[in-house]
Amino acid sequence: MQARYDIAVVGGGLAGTVAALLAAAQGWKVAFIAPPPPRQDGRTTALLSESVDLLTRLGVWDDVLPSSAPLRTMRILDGTSRLFRAPPVQFHSSEIDLDAFGYNIPNQPLFDALHHKAAETSGIVRFEAALSGAKQDQEGIALQMDDGSSINALAGIAADGRNSALREAVGIKVKSWTYPQSALVMNFSHQLGHGDVSTEFHTEEGPFTQVPLPGNRSSLVWAVKPGAVDAILGLSRNQLNIEIERRMRSILGKIEVENDPQAWPLSSLIADHFGIGRTMLVGEAGHAFPPIGAQGLNLGLRDIIQAVDSVKDAGGPEHAAKAVSRYNRKRRLDITSRTAGVDLLNRALLSDFLPMQALRAGGLAALSALPPLRTLAMREGMTPGWRGRNPFRPAHNG
């Protein structure tokens, strides 16, 4: 007899672990197919207030709060040398009655806390083998692992990233494209305090973004042309410190990089459908784009909330087919609009086409000069269709 579960969650990253926890919180029996990750993740994630609220509901936020730093101001500075340059733009959380837009946290402590919570949750059974195949019919989904084991579930959640095995197994196609960019990520300490301000420099190669960490520390996402990666990685630590300080115009004083930089090629994808049959796609299984505007994981966590809500509203996992149809319909606008927005902004940075440069500079100038427009942009950046609810305002101990 094969084990039968209410929900099978495939993928052991941040999105997959949150999906398993939220599904188990509904009282459902969850199969968590989560092979160990190939390497430690040196990146950080800016979690917006809605995502912080979700982690609080799951009982995880207090564990990771000491590792996080609030984001109270987001600043965009034009670091290009082009004919059309934009004025500085600053977004303050107080303008939309928030104590902070959210919190920046290293991925690794968040990953560790989520997996610790999943391990102690009785409704979750973890399988560390990788998914090798899956078939779904009107009754459920049969999943096979590469160690020869197999399970059945009433519904499936594909949270196994850009190269999702479950997405491929159920036959959902994706549109994908690449950019002439790689992202270098690292953490660094600095002489001057960041004041809870994140600064995104727009350069001809893409964004160069500093995001606060606790104390006089920050994380950096630095987009460069792929051909420049080896040269930067070949710099001595002192040379790298000087180069980052120069690019940041010394706004944080002297820089000391803490870890070896990691390089990630930049690409995007979007699925033709976000669910089919009894399977729903969440996170980068359904959409992925460059790290601009703190949208990536936050968008994936909204997927998870909507997926679980759709199953509940349909009457439970046994009615997964109805839930998937509703989920696919409800997620489309949010996902497609944000994917298109990030893609357009990134291409505008890279473009040498003068009208495109003028459009980008003019848009940022309007945000700087028109408070109502800036407020609207902030609210929609936080949550689609801003609902004006009371924001979650955790006290910060860092």
Side-chain angles (χ1 to χ4, degrees):
M1 290 285 292
Q2 292 179 338
R4 189 170 184 86
Y5 295 85
D6 294 315
I7 303 280
V9 176
V10 180
L14 298 177
T17 316
V18 170
L21 287 168
L22 190 59
Q26 316 311 311
W28 300 331
K29 186 178 180 182
V30 178
F32 184 31
I33 301 173
R39 63 168 169 168
Q40 289 252 325
D41 191 341
R43 295 172 293 179
T44 67
T45 296
L47 295 170
L48 301 180
S49 60
E50 186 176 42
S51 299
V52 173
D53 197 3
L54 174 59
L55 295 181
T56 301
R57 288 166 52 196
L58 295 175
V60 174
W61 181 245
D62 286 345
D63 295 331
V64 299
L65 177 59
S67 300
S68 71
L71 306 176
R72 295 191 167 99
T73 299
M74 295 185 180
R75 174 170 56 190
I76 298 175
L77 300 179
D78 194 327
T80 69
S81 55
R82 288 169 171 162
L83 176 62
F84 295 105
R85 300 182 72 244
V89 183
Q90 295 196 79
F91 303 93
H92 301 283
S93 61
S94 58
E95 294 181 83
I96 54 173
D97 299 321
L98 286 173
D99 177 62
F101 291 116
Y103 290 77
N104 190 41
I105 179 170
N107 285 3
Q108 196 60 49
L110 178 57
F111 176 90
D112 293 342
L114 287 168
H115 272 264
H116 177 76
K117 185 69 174 179
E120 64 180 21
T121 299
S122 59
I124 297 175
V125 178
R126 180 174 178 180
F127 299 86
E128 292 196 352
L131 185 76
S132 60
K135 292 182 179 180
Q136 58 180 349
D137 57 28
Q138 293 182 348
E139 303 300 322
I141 308 171
L143 304 105
Q144 298 81 42
M145 272 75 80
D146 62 4
D147 64 355
S149 61
S150 60
I151 61 167
N152 289 320
L154 293 171
I157 294 179
D160 47 343
R162 295 172 185 242
N163 300 313
S164 170
L166 182 53
R167 182 190 68 215
E168 183 175 348
V170 299
I172 297 177
K173 304 295 185 183
V174 299
K175 177 186 178 183
S176 60
W177 59 99
T178 61
Y179 300 95
Q181 296 165 291
S182 291
L184 294 168
V185 296
M186 66 200 83
N187 298 333
F188 63 95
S189 59
H190 37 82
Q191 181 182 15
L192 305 176
H194 49 57
D196 303 332
V197 177
S198 174
T199 302
E200 182 170 287
F201 292 89
H202 285 182
T203 79
E204 289 88 348
E205 296 180 333
F208 178 95
T209 308
Q210 163 268 332
V211 191
L213 287 170
N216 280 16
R217 300 175 60 245
S218 292
S219 62
L220 177 68
V221 180
W222 177 4
V224 299
K225 295 179 179 178
V229 171
D230 288 343
I232 294 171
L233 295 180
L235 294 174
S236 69
R237 185 56 57 86
N238 187 57
Q239 290 172 323
L240 182 60
N241 295 339
I242 292 172
E243 179 63 15
I244 292 173
E245 181 183 346
R246 182 187 71 81
R247 287 176 175 266
M248 292 200 64
R249 305 175 185 173
S250 297
I251 61 174
L252 295 176
K254 293 192 177 300
I255 299 297
E256 184 66 42
V257 174
E258 299 177 350
N259 58 308
D260 292 333
Q262 293 182 351
W264 305 80
L266 294 187
S267 63
S268 289
L269 70 81
I270 188 166
D272 291 346
H273 305 281
F274 305 113
I276 192 169
R278 289 177 166 266
T279 301
M280 292 171 282
L281 310 184
V282 302
E284 292 194 339
H287 50 81
F289 42 71
I292 297 174
Q295 293 298 315
L297 181 60
N298 293 286
L299 188 61
L301 297 185
R302 285 206 296 278
D303 294 341
I304 293 164
I305 293 169
Q306 185 64 64
V308 170
D309 284 349
S310 294
V311 174
K312 288 195 301 182
D313 292 344
E318 60 269 27
H319 302 290
K322 179 180 178 182
V324 168
S325 177
R326 179 177 301 177
Y327 172 78
N328 187 56
R329 183 177 66 254
K330 285 185 172 291
R331 291 306 297 142
R332 183 158 298 278
L333 178 61
D334 188 19
I335 292 171
T336 55
S337 64
R338 286 170 197 274
T339 301
V342 169
D343 180 69
L344 178 62
L345 178 56
N346 194 43
R347 291 184 187 279
L349 283 175
L350 299 176
S351 177
D352 291 325
F353 187 48
L354 283 178
M356 179 68 82
Q357 295 175 20
L359 180 64
R360 181 189 67 86
L364 290 174
L367 288 173
S368 178
L370 301 172
L373 182 61
R374 189 168 62 250
T375 298
L376 177 63
M378 284 187 285
R379 287 176 171 171
E380 288 301 315
M382 293 290 292
T383 305
W386 178 262
R387 295 184 294 273
R389 58 195 177 147
N390 291 328
F392 176 70
R393 300 180 179 179
H396 188 265
N397 299 323

